[in-house]
Amino acid sequence: MRENVATVVRKFVSPSMRYELRSVSTRLRGMLDRACVWRWEISRFKLQAESPHEFLYVGRANQREMAKLLIGGKHVPATDGGLEPAERSHVVLVSEVPTSGALNVPLYLSAVVPLGRPLEDITARYDSELRRSIRKNRPLYQMRQTVVDEEIEWADRKMLRPYADARQGIHAAQFATEEVFRIAKTVGRLDLITLNDEVVACHLGCEITRGGKRYWSTLRFGYTEAVFSDAKKLREVNSITTFMALEWALENGYDYYDIGLCVARPDDGLLKWKRRRGGDIDSLGNHASMFIRLPKVGTARFLWDTPLFALEGKELTLHLGLPDGPTEEEAARRYHEMVFGGLDKIYLYCAENSGERFLETLRGRYANLQVMPTLQRIASS
């Protein structure tokens, strides 16, 4: 019997090469989708009625909401249509195709924890409250893999899907049930998390090999309604589930634990949550971008309101604004939680001859990381 293509690829192509091939294939599909110009639209919107900045969106109609999510987050109402014409200098161009001078802004980023060191060294980056919670609650929970059809179906129907809907609403990206079965039985694993012998959560994950390094990657967490409808209980179970996946990755010799994808917004609460658990930002798993051209006037104010990640080649950068008005102390509070491992550069847009004290504050905050990003000041209005 002739071997199928997938079997031949697995036999003769290294795991790292398979990852690169999948990445290239995904990017090509994305390029073909964007090439369907009959699906494009040109639309205008504002994130805040009083803001001087107006967004001009050029791209597929079904990606407009993703552009709003990337820039403003889930809870900022955007105003469409009926807008007064903005000055040309205050227009922010958001496009699915590159434009001159635009930032290449990824849609999603992963939070990746470097392993290969004792668990105590990893948890040393946790705050004291999180460490206490884990010490207290970890012994109460157990984790076991399942390949039983009935349990996989139940986990998909009762935990993975309802939790994604409850957390993300219209932005929820669900796996097809068949894909959950495929991952659980062949290319990854589905673990059930129990508390007092009652299933309260699940974890769907798989292995990724990139550049010769092995990553244990979280694809989805799921929780029962009794857990995700109780904010306090969800915080506890969510922390323990993530910690148990980290433990498993460390015990099984992985180089990194990928906590999973989240929207690539420096202000995103989920990204900050993962950062507090030792996750460094990484473009792993992201194959899509928006191209954002900054306004000619008010760039520092725009980036104060809307900090942005961007890609320069394969390197991640962070773009921050320091406009006239806020004090150095206010700036320090504004960017208090924007200390991300994995950055190559940080750009600070501010008036000429200002911002030096804040750059020193940033240097101090990044001093404890293994790799210090380059800090660059850009004179801007």
Side-chain angles (χ1 to χ4, degrees):
M1 182 183 293
R2 293 186 301 172
E3 294 179 298
N4 61 36
V5 174
T7 302
V8 172
V9 168
R10 282 195 296 270
K11 184 178 292 186
F12 295 105
V13 178
S14 70
S16 292
M17 183 58 70
R18 290 202 294 271
Y19 171 80
E20 296 299 334
L21 289 172
R22 287 195 303 271
S23 297
V24 169
S25 174
T26 303
R27 292 184 190 280
L28 286 174
R29 286 198 300 271
M31 290 172 62
L32 290 173
D33 286 344
R34 290 195 297 274
C36 301
V37 293
W38 57 90
R39 297 176 183 167
W40 283 27
E41 68 170 21
I42 299 176
S43 59
R44 299 159 54 204
F45 62 89
K46 279 189 172 185
L47 294 178
Q48 298 173 338
E50 68 277 8
S51 172
H53 297 111
E54 177 186 305
F55 295 89
L56 178 65
Y57 173 72
V58 181
R60 290 168 291 173
N62 63 2
Q63 286 295 95
R64 177 173 18 102
E65 292 305 312
M66 182 66 227
K68 292 180 182 179
L69 176 65
L70 180 67
I71 298 165
K74 289 186 290 186
H75 306 298
V76 179
T79 304
D80 295 280
L83 301 176
E84 295 295 326
E87 291 185 32
R88 201 172 185 81
S89 57
H90 290 151
V91 172
V92 180
L93 177 62
V94 183
S95 173
E96 284 207 88
V97 293
T99 57
S100 176
L103 300 179
N104 180 1
V105 179
L107 299 190
Y108 298 96
L109 289 174
S110 285
V112 173
V113 182
L115 303 179
R117 52 195 170 129
L119 185 61
E120 293 74 20
D121 289 355
I122 297 171
T123 57
R125 284 182 64 178
Y126 296 4
D127 62 51
S128 56
E129 182 181 349
L130 177 57
R131 288 198 300 270
R132 279 197 304 271
S133 175
I134 290 172
R135 281 197 302 269
K136 174 185 174 183
N137 296 305
R138 173 63 184 89
L140 306 176
Y141 291 80
Q142 295 79 40
M143 182 173 77
R144 64 175 176 85
Q145 182 182 10
T146 182
V147 292
V148 177
D149 287 358
E150 292 79 6
E151 291 186 329
I152 297 171
E153 188 276 334
W154 185 87
D156 180 48
R157 177 168 48 86
K158 288 293 189 178
M159 292 191 287
L160 292 170
R161 291 181 174 279
Y163 176 62
D165 284 336
R167 188 174 185 88
Q168 303 295 340
I170 63 171
H171 301 292
Q174 302 280 10
F175 278 137
T177 298
E178 309 82 66
E179 184 67 2
V180 173
F181 270 83
R182 186 184 75 86
I183 294 167
K185 291 196 164 193
T186 59
V187 299
R189 56 186 282 148
L190 175 67
D191 289 298
L192 301 180
I193 314 300
T194 59
L195 172 63
N196 298 325
D197 296 324
E198 178 187 355
V199 176
V200 294
C202 66
H203 172 267
L204 185 68
C206 71
E207 179 178 321
I208 295 173
T209 303
R210 180 180 67 167
K213 300 295 184 180
R214 295 169 65 234
Y215 296 70
W216 179 243
S217 181
T218 289
L219 301 175
R220 290 290 187 276
F221 289 117
Y223 301 95
T224 61
E225 186 175 1
V227 171
F228 69 69
S229 61
D230 181 334
K232 182 180 179 181
K233 191 65 179 176
L234 177 60
R235 283 196 297 272
E236 175 189 313
V237 181
N238 203 3
S239 292
I240 294 298
T241 304
T242 305
F243 184 73
M244 293 175 84
L246 168 68
E247 281 184 318
W248 190 89
L250 191 62
E251 290 165 1
N252 285 273
Y254 285 89
D255 299 294
Y256 297 92
Y257 168 50
D258 167 25
I259 311 177
L261 287 174
C262 46
V263 177
R265 295 185 63 249
D267 270 328
D268 184 69
L270 179 59
L271 181 59
K272 292 177 181 178
W273 186 90
K274 293 178 178 181
R275 177 191 67 80
R276 290 193 290 271
R277 282 148 182 81
D280 294 340
I281 58 171
D282 194 302
S283 59
L284 178 76
N286 177 72
H287 306 291
S289 299
M290 291 281 179
F291 296 89
I292 299 179
R293 193 166 68 198
L294 300 175
K296 294 180 181 178
V297 173
T299 307
R301 168 56 63 178
F302 170 71
L303 287 170
W304 170 271
D305 295 333
T306 311
L308 294 172
F309 291 118
L311 283 163
E312 292 183 3
K314 292 186 176 181
E315 302 296 339
L316 281 165
T317 63
L318 175 62
H319 296 252
L320 306 176
L322 183 61
D324 293 333
T327 64
E328 298 282 349
E329 291 73 21
E330 288 171 328
R333 287 196 299 272
R334 169 70 180 98
Y335 296 126
H336 177 69
E337 289 201 75
M338 290 190 197
V339 181
F340 300 102
L343 286 171
D344 182 61
K345 289 182 182 177
I346 299 175
Y347 296 95
L348 179 66
Y349 296 72
C350 58
E352 198 168 358
N353 301 321
S354 70
E356 190 54 48
R357 279 185 58 198
F358 179 64
L359 283 178
E360 286 303 313
T361 299
L362 278 181
R363 288 189 184 96
R365 288 184 175 173
Y366 276 84
N368 293 330
L369 297 187
Q370 230 176 2
V371 179
M372 175 79 174
T374 302
L375 304 182
Q376 182 175 335
R377 186 171 52 184
I378 297 179
S380 176
S381 61

